[in-house]
Amino acid sequence: LLLPLAGCPDDPPASGPKDGKGAGTPPVEPVRLTPALIAENNRGVGLMEQYRYDQARRVFAALAKDQSTWLDVKVNLAIAVLNDTQKGAAAVPILEQVVMADPEHAAATYCLGISLFHANRIPAAAIQFRRAVRQDPRDAFATYFMARCLEQEQPAEATTWYQKALGLEPYFQSAHYRC
């Protein structure tokens, strides 16, 4: 299960809440990204692309320890943990920490939904996917997983969500299959 990776361009903006306010938390101190930090993050992303999740996990864990306010590296750590362990529950606390620090962090919201889904915490996953769709209404994958969360209890609404996903991405085969 390889999720989209959050590599860094040469001069990315600092992570954190856009307005300096989290969900009842103090403002996040902006991280000062250096070329060396960015290169190390990108090395971790490269390791994930090679399916070397344990090594990537170690790279991101070290970066997250040294740069505790760098939210994007924590999302990368959570993705590596999820892929390395194949257990959604293992990544949930990391992603909850990011979403608490920055409720509008779209990648963290989506990945938290994925992790909760794989941990079979479907109602909690649905909450995150609804938020992800609100954050990015063009995200066919968040829309698709919202439908997956509704399949058992609300099949008619699930079909509507699958149709929305297909409207966003007409060649989305999984949505075709489930629709």
Side-chain angles (χ1 to χ4, degrees):
L1 170 67
L2 183 61
L3 299 173
L5 307 174
C8 290
D10 289 338
D11 194 18
S15 300
K18 309 310 178 254
D19 61 357
K21 300 175 189 168
T25 61
V28 175
E29 189 68 32
V31 64
R32 179 69 186 127
L33 299 179
T34 65
L37 289 172
I38 293 167
E40 189 66 358
N41 179 68
N42 289 344
R43 186 171 78 84
V45 170
L47 289 166
M48 283 201 292
E49 289 175 350
Q50 297 169 17
Y51 304 101
R52 295 161 62 186
Y53 303 122
D54 183 52
Q55 292 175 20
R57 181 181 184 174
R58 288 195 299 264
V59 168
F60 296 131
L63 285 168
K65 181 180 177 190
D66 292 341
Q67 302 294 323
S68 64
T69 60
W70 191 3
L71 300 181
D72 291 336
V73 85
K74 289 181 180 183
V75 172
N76 284 346
L77 172 60
I79 293 168
V81 165
L82 176 61
N83 282 295
D84 186 38
T85 65
Q86 293 295 301
K87 295 180 181 165
V92 168
I94 301 165
L95 294 162
E96 286 176 333
Q97 182 184 53
V98 174
V99 170
M100 187 178 297
D102 182 0
E104 297 304 314
H105 198 295
T109 301
Y110 174 78
C111 289
L112 180 54
I114 291 289
S115 296
L116 290 164
F117 185 85
H118 286 285
N120 204 30
R121 293 172 52 190
I122 305 304
I127 291 168
Q128 297 307 315
F129 289 125
R130 280 191 198 279
R131 289 183 61 232
V133 169
R134 272 197 314 270
Q135 290 168 343
D136 184 359
R138 299 165 301 167
D139 186 339
F141 294 97
T143 304
Y144 168 80
F145 275 103
M146 184 64 228
R148 292 283 315 268
C149 290
L150 297 170
E151 273 183 344
Q152 298 299 313
E153 303 295 324
Q154 301 170 45
E157 187 177 349
T159 299
T160 300
W161 282 93
Y162 285 129
Q163 290 170 343
K164 287 180 188 180
L166 288 169
L168 295 166
E169 180 56 58
Y171 298 105
F172 200 152
Q173 292 303 309
S174 295
H176 274 288
Y177 171 77
R178 294 188 174 274
C179 194

